[in-house]
Amino acid sequence: MPEVRDHDHGAPAEERDHIDLLLDDDLRAFRRDVRAFLRGAVPEETRNRIDRGYAATKSEIADFLAKLSARGWTAPAWPVEYGGTGWTQLQRMVFSSELARNAVPGIPPFGVSMIGPVLYTFGTQAQKDTYLPGILSGKDFWCQGFSEPGSGSDLASLRTRAEDRGDHYLLNGQKIWTSKAHYADRIFLLARTDEAPRKQGGISMFVLDMDTPGITVKPIIAIDMNHSLNEVFFEDVKVPVDGLVGERGKGWNYAKFLLGNERTGITNVGRCRRQVERLKRLARADLTPGVDLSKDGAFLRDLARVEADLTALEITEIRILSQGKNGPSAMTGPSVLKLASAQIQQTLAELIVSTLGLYAAGRGAGFVDAFDDIGDLPSDFVDGALNEYLFGRSVSIYGGTNQIQRDILARSALETRP
Amino acid sequence: MTFLEHLTPSDETGMIRDAADKWAAGISDADVRRSGGFAPGRWSEMAAMGWHGLLADPDHGGLGLGPDALSLLCQAIGRARLPEPFVASSVVCVGTLTALGQDVTALVDGSAIAAPAGFGLPCDGGPSGVTATAGAEGHNLSDMIDICESGPDTSEFLVATAGGDGLFRLPRSTPGLTITHYGAIDGRNLARLSFDGPVPADALIATGDAARAAIRRGTTLAVSALAADATGTIEKATELTTAYLDERSQFGKPLAAFQSLRHMVADLLVELEASRSMAELAAFAASDDGDPKHLHDRVRARICRAAQSVGQNAIQLHGGMGMTDEMAIGHYFRRLIFLQAMMGQEAGALRDRATTLARDIEMQREVAQ
């Protein structure tokens, strides 16, 4: 297999980093530090695999988190007293952008971005002491038990029940789409503890260990033919009372708090920029003999259009993070970002697949082994792109579908309630 | 200045915004309809507030402010859909002339109005190519310029020759200059210019690199101003549409109760935010003398698409009423069409960007080999 070149090798400086324009000298120096650290912390082979569109393995993630943790960089956004870095919003943006651009394993969001902030904001001292260190060190992997077979977009209709038995809650029910549950150490979940007039009432949030008796995990193989999703069953699971997060019956509020964080965190700007570079790489790869994409007006126009979209998304994200007077409100900002970002991510993946031509028909290890390379690209470059395209259909579904985001946005702009 | 600092307006810039918003909010739709393509009263009011000299040096009576303040002012102008040639005269011409150290006092005090020809508006220069050949008593100009934002009140023209290596400053009375007026789609005044014959020697105010740099400055300011104007227009079109949906009922409930329409509104908001972001970027990228083309091509492309999409969907959401001249929304729609033409259309901007991308890919190929 030929040597893989650095994905942004050879790009003119202004194109490689047009975001540079937005940074001052200190931030540029900061970025150099981050970049050097990341490239040292993750083996090149791992970065190449991720760059081509394959998911990092659990051990690759764990190795990376251990190094991040040693540097104190696992959870930059947390308050300093809980282990955050005290960075400015822009430093954090540069950091997360570098994570994506350098194709290191993603920091799993479930601990750092989701339950962590809920616990240090609403949790008891004991919960903070018990759970936050394991998140910061990267030792504990978490998963999220929200969706149920009958409760997807209509999450508040969930039926998993936690019955108050005095010294514990008795948990019965089922969760679905639970990413990484097959290797998670702990789970945070929503369950109904009380009957309430509004379906959002009576829901509570719990944290518990995945090795608690009565929990069964079953894999769901996704359309990318990989295993990252699961079903999780709870049968008479005893949840200790100190597993209740915050106040009983307020789980819905905590979930909204948590999902708001999730939406801001999933713009994936850095990864999108990597995809733009990948498209340029594909354009000069001679994948289809006789077709020079760098002279194909339709291809260049599509590339230019999505690149302009991406630039607008980057600026919108900065406007939100800077919390300036002109930025979108806290209510609309995350939904605007999520809709725009889903559109861009999917357009990029679609464009990439369309440049693969007939090779988009192959898939998997056998396909990779059948070719040394395709054009002047290694065959797993093609397979990885398909991998990303397939699972990328989920970005407009998870964290609130595009249609749910539109509902939220419309509510902000219209007086009338549906 | 960093982009973050740019996002926090200075006190001076904030004052411009507040004054512009307050002034523009006092101008009704009926006022704008009554005034036709140009209201001398409004032009004087803008002069009194110093806005024609926003970009000019204090030596020439200007405020010496930059693209940040300009952007906020142009958003207010777009919201009120004012037809006056503010971008043409007070942005492109004052900006270009100031870059050359030319006297702009009369433009700043509002007693004169200038129009750029062959550059700036449209910001990709347009299809015209005026040629200048040296003659005994100055230069002979020939050929036509199809679109020039000028009306009967325009007092002078700033004319770029093909290739941008010459810049002429010509009074309206210049012999051999024929001006044919016509109306713009959004009600402002336009003209077709034709040149035939010699112009005085002192009309040539810059040549070569100096001319190109000044033209580039004027064009950069034009992109920033147009992006802001379009953003203000899009913002107002969105507000008019949401208000209409809340107010109008069918099937016994407000239109705003129907999910299919609500989701279209959500898409208007996404486009509006993309425009605001691009207007911010355009102003920031114009804040020094560099060439921001690699960013401005994207700004033009993205804002043109937002303008197209919001304009069309706003009409659709107004239903049959959206087809009438009576409703303001159609006037905003037409302004957006004008602004897209001035930005070279999404297709043109993408073509420009694609040329750069093709060059990048070619360079990467060479490096890789």
Side-chain angles (χ1 to χ4, degrees):
Chain A
M1 193 170 287
E3 181 210 355
V4 180
R5 295 183 192 95
D6 195 339
H7 59 267
D8 54 9
H9 185 65
E14 70 171 30
E15 293 304 320
R16 188 165 61 236
D17 291 312
H18 63 261
I19 198 93
D20 253 9
L21 185 76
L22 314 176
L23 306 181
D24 58 18
D25 290 345
D26 289 348
L27 278 169
R28 272 177 237 185
F30 172 73
R31 189 180 53 188
R32 276 194 299 276
D33 286 351
V34 171
R35 188 171 289 180
F37 169 77
L38 294 177
R39 293 189 175 181
V42 181
E44 195 179 351
E45 195 201 325
T46 304
R47 285 188 279 121
N48 275 339
R49 272 189 53 252
I50 294 171
D51 186 37
R52 286 178 213 171
Y54 296 104
T57 63
K58 184 185 182 185
S59 71
E60 284 171 334
I61 298 171
D63 287 348
F64 176 53
L65 288 177
K67 293 195 173 107
L68 261 187
S69 168
R71 186 77 192 241
W73 285 0
T74 319
W78 290 16
V80 175
E81 54 175 316
Y82 293 116
T85 53
W87 289 341
T88 62
Q89 290 272 14
L90 267 193
Q91 279 179 303
R92 275 149 50 189
M93 193 192 76
V94 167
F95 179 70
S96 65
S97 160
E98 283 304 303
L99 289 177
R101 293 231 56 198
N102 291 288
V104 299
I107 300 173
F110 308 108
V112 170
S113 305
M114 299 174 121
I115 193 61
V118 171
L119 289 176
Y120 65 64
T121 309
F122 304 106
T124 62
Q125 191 56 47
Q127 284 170 337
K128 293 178 198 176
D129 295 342
T130 308
Y131 298 115
L132 299 185
I135 295 174
L136 281 173
S137 72
K139 188 178 82 50
D140 289 345
F141 281 75
W142 284 77
C143 62
Q144 175 195 33
F146 279 16
S147 295
E148 297 184 7
S151 307
S153 288
D154 182 14
L155 184 58
S157 70
L158 60 88
R159 290 185 306 180
T160 293
R161 205 158 272 288
E163 210 180 306
D164 189 349
R165 291 291 180 88
D167 65 336
H168 68 272
Y169 287 89
L170 194 66
L171 188 67
N172 278 289
Q174 182 195 346
K175 296 292 175 181
I176 196 167
W177 315 128
T178 320
S179 295
K180 318 296 182 199
H182 53 300
Y183 62 64
D185 305 292
R186 307 184 196 275
I187 185 169
F188 58 91
L189 57 88
L190 295 175
R192 203 165 285 288
T193 42
D194 304 277
E195 288 309 321
R198 280 179 80 237
K199 63 184 175 183
Q200 288 86 353
I203 293 175
S204 299
M205 187 180 282
F206 294 93
V207 287
L208 77 155
D209 291 348
M210 284 298 281
D211 59 7
T212 312
I215 300 181
T216 314
V217 177
K218 285 189 183 163
I220 297 173
I221 303 303
I223 53 171
D224 59 356
M225 298 172 260
N226 290 323
H227 174 204
S228 69
L229 303 172
N230 302 277
E231 292 178 285
V232 183
F233 297 86
F234 303 93
E235 200 179 340
D236 289 336
V237 175
K238 287 183 181 173
V239 184
V241 282
D242 57 11
L244 175 71
V245 176
E247 287 179 50
R248 176 162 153 175
K250 292 235 170 125
W252 188 253
N253 297 10
Y254 308 144
K256 277 204 299 190
F257 170 86
L258 179 155
L259 288 173
N261 292 340
E262 185 192 12
R263 275 173 211 138
T264 318
I266 53 184
T267 52
N268 281 327
V269 162
R271 209 182 77 177
C272 290
R273 273 201 265 144
R274 201 146 51 70
Q275 297 280 64
V276 169
E277 295 306 327
R278 182 192 256 169
L279 266 169
K280 291 186 187 169
R281 178 79 186 83
L282 274 163
R284 56 185 167 83
D286 291 328
L287 221 59
T288 307
V291 176
D292 183 352
L293 287 174
S294 71
K295 296 190 171 56
D296 177 346
F299 168 80
L300 291 169
R301 186 182 157 125
D302 286 346
L303 176 59
R305 185 184 283 123
V306 72
E307 184 202 41
D309 282 348
L310 179 56
T311 302
L313 176 68
E314 283 178 69
I315 304 295
T316 306
E317 187 177 28
I318 293 170
R319 284 171 56 225
I320 289 175
L321 291 178
S322 70
Q323 293 167 330
K325 277 185 220 155
N326 302 322
S329 74
M331 179 181 171
T332 59
S335 294
V336 168
L337 284 181
K338 178 142 198 294
L339 280 168
S341 160
Q343 157 84 44
I344 292 164
Q345 291 181 66
Q346 293 182 339
T347 302
L348 278 165
E350 196 180 309
L351 265 175
I352 288 170
V353 169
S354 78
T355 63
L356 300 180
L358 60 90
Y359 298 103
R363 173 85 178 93
F367 168 65
V368 171
D369 290 344
F371 298 84
D372 284 336
D373 46 38
I374 300 173
D376 65 356
L377 286 172
S379 52
D380 66 350
F381 191 104
V382 173
D383 185 55
L386 291 164
N387 202 38
E388 260 188 324
Y389 172 66
L390 289 166
F391 203 72
R393 298 315 302 170
S394 69
V395 299
S396 52
I397 298 170
Y398 63 62
T401 62
N402 277 7
Q403 287 64 39
I404 292 287
Q405 306 304 336
R406 289 193 174 95
D407 281 344
I408 293 170
L409 281 182
R411 212 173 303 141
S412 76
L414 296 164
E415 300 282 334
T416 308
R417 292 290 158 258
Chain B
M1 186 179 61
T2 67
F3 187 66
L4 207 60
E5 285 160 0
H6 159 84
L7 286 177
T8 315
S10 68
D11 290 349
E12 217 171 3
T13 301
M15 275 161 60
I16 296 277
R17 182 192 52 206
D18 295 344
D21 285 347
K22 193 171 162 215
W23 178 71
I27 300 169
S28 72
D29 190 62
D31 290 339
V32 176
R33 282 171 194 250
R34 250 195 319 272
S35 57
F38 185 79
R42 274 202 298 268
W43 197 255
S44 306
E45 284 171 33
M46 292 171 96
M49 286 180 282
W51 293 342
H52 299 311
L54 191 90
L55 299 168
D57 295 328
D59 294 352
H60 292 128
L63 299 177
L65 294 173
D68 282 10
L70 176 70
S71 180
L72 296 169
L73 179 53
C74 288
Q75 287 184 44
I77 288 172
R79 284 183 60 90
R81 66 178 186 87
L82 302 183
E84 285 76 28
F86 180 80
V87 176
S89 182
S90 316
V91 176
V92 180
C93 289
V94 169
T96 307
L97 291 168
T98 296
L100 290 167
Q102 287 266 319
D103 183 17
V104 290
T105 316
L107 296 175
V108 168
D109 70 22
S111 57
I113 299 173
F119 79 102
L121 292 175
C123 61
D124 58 359
S128 327
V130 171
T131 53
T133 43
E137 301 150 41
H139 284 83
N140 279 304
L141 292 185
S142 64
D143 217 326
M144 318 268 301
I145 283 175
D146 287 342
I147 292 191
C148 173
E149 194 182 336
S150 60
D153 303 272
T154 303
S155 40
E156 60 174 335
F157 297 88
L158 210 49
V159 183
T161 52
D165 51 5
L167 200 57
F168 291 86
R169 187 174 187 178
L170 303 172
R172 186 183 185 89
S173 57
T174 303
L177 166 60
T178 311
I179 307 168
T180 311
H181 291 291
Y182 62 98
I185 190 167
D186 69 339
R188 72 183 80 204
N189 296 319
L190 295 177
R192 193 165 190 220
L193 310 182
S194 110
F195 302 90
D196 182 22
V199 296
D202 64 356
L204 180 64
I205 57 170
T207 57
D209 288 346
R212 272 187 288 273
I215 287 168
R216 194 178 69 200
R217 186 65 191 148
T219 303
T220 296
L221 291 167
V223 173
S224 179
L226 290 166
D229 191 325
T231 299
T233 310
I234 287 170
E235 189 177 85
K236 182 70 179 190
T238 302
E239 284 170 21
L240 288 171
T241 304
T242 53
Y244 183 77
L245 292 174
D246 273 327
E247 177 195 302
R248 162 122 176 129
S249 283
Q250 286 287 277
F251 304 104
K253 52 186 180 181
L255 291 180
F258 294 91
Q259 194 181 38
S260 64
L261 307 188
R262 296 177 74 85
H263 282 195
M264 286 175 74
V265 167
D267 290 337
L268 299 183
L269 300 180
V270 171
E271 291 302 293
L272 171 59
E273 289 303 341
S275 302
R276 284 175 173 155
S277 292
M278 284 313 215
E280 293 281 8
L281 178 65
F284 177 71
S287 55
D288 62 28
D289 289 336
D291 185 359
K293 180 176 162 55
H294 69 288
L295 293 172
H296 272 185
D297 286 348
R298 293 178 230 188
V299 168
R300 290 162 54 211
R302 187 66 189 86
I303 290 199
C304 280
R305 180 141 50 84
Q308 177 99 307
S309 158
V310 170
Q312 290 176 356
N313 285 320
I315 298 297
Q316 179 68 24
L317 286 164
H318 275 76
M321 289 306 289
M323 296 302 295
T324 64
D325 183 70
E326 181 194 335
M327 296 296 280
I329 193 64
H331 295 250
Y332 283 89
F333 181 48
R334 294 205 297 266
R335 185 181 185 90
L336 288 172
I337 294 172
F338 177 80
L339 293 170
Q340 287 173 74
M342 289 303 106
M343 284 187 274
Q345 309 285 9
E346 186 198 5
L350 288 177
R351 214 159 32 233
D352 290 349
R353 182 65 194 147
T355 305
T356 311
L357 285 170
R359 213 165 45 227
D360 289 350
I361 293 168
E362 206 48 53
M363 266 171 59
Q364 287 175 340
R365 197 200 306 270
E366 281 163 24
V367 171
Q369 271 163 5

